[in-house]
Amino acid sequence: MFNPTRDRWSLLTYKAQQKVNAVQESLAAAQQQLEQFKASEQRLSAMLVEYQAQYASDVAQSHLVADALNQRQFMAQLTQLVGHAKQKVGAAHAQVAQTRKALLAAQLELSKCEKLEAHAREQERVHEKRREQRAMDDLAIVRHQWRQV
């Protein structure tokens, strides 16, 4: 039997589930991006440490000012890239945290919709049971009246 109230709650539950699924996908993408940024930061940091060690040994061996200047400039650019990578990691952490909050909110909304849908089904079941009981009572009254005639 068509029941617009139950169907309305089913639709809202379906939409809430879709929202949860979409936010879960968004969270997975944000976490993947965070991991990529972390890997990039680690590579750049390792490269910076390697070049710092190489720079220290090259300065002792080289007496050319131009070479030392180029190496310092390269180190400054590399340090700047590491700082930029750290900023991206921080922003990605914030995005993951924000998406987790959105996921919790969507899951809460889904839970509410599921409870309301279950409550609506229960009310419909009780209503149907009462309707059937009334029909049985009416039938009993009719039978009783037939016996008395």
Side-chain angles (χ1 to χ4, degrees), residues 19-140:
K19 172 92 175 177
V20 167
N21 293 344
V23 174
Q24 284 175 335
E25 290 174 8
S26 178
L27 179 60
Q31 287 174 330
Q32 183 179 15
Q33 188 176 39
L34 173 63
E35 292 305 316
Q36 289 173 348
F37 287 152
K38 280 182 178 180
S40 177
E41 179 195 3
Q42 288 174 351
R43 281 192 315 271
L44 287 170
S45 293
M47 191 184 301
L48 180 62
V49 168
E50 179 184 329
Y51 278 110
Q52 283 174 337
Q54 184 180 0
Y55 175 72
S57 68
D58 286 350
V59 167
Q61 293 175 2
S62 176
H63 296 288
L64 296 175
V65 175
D67 287 344
L69 186 61
N70 285 340
Q71 286 180 338
R72 277 191 224 144
Q73 190 175 20
F74 178 73
M75 295 286 285
Q77 289 175 346
L78 196 54
T79 303
Q80 186 179 21
L81 284 174
V82 169
H84 208 42
K86 287 182 181 186
Q87 286 177 346
K88 284 185 177 182
V89 168
H93 271 296
Q95 180 65 33
V96 166
Q98 181 181 4
T99 306
R100 281 191 177 131
K101 286 180 184 178
L103 179 59
L104 288 174
Q107 288 173 333
L108 180 62
E109 187 66 25
L110 175 61
S111 176
K112 288 178 187 177
C113 288
E114 287 172 340
K115 287 177 185 176
L116 289 169
E117 182 182 10
H119 181 70
R121 276 194 309 264
E122 180 63 22
Q123 282 186 334
E124 182 182 340
R125 187 189 64 75
V126 167
H127 177 71
E128 184 64 26
K129 188 176 179 181
R130 285 182 186 155
R131 191 182 64 74
E132 288 175 2
Q133 186 62 45
R134 278 191 212 118
M136 295 296 285
D137 291 347
D138 290 345
L139 182 61

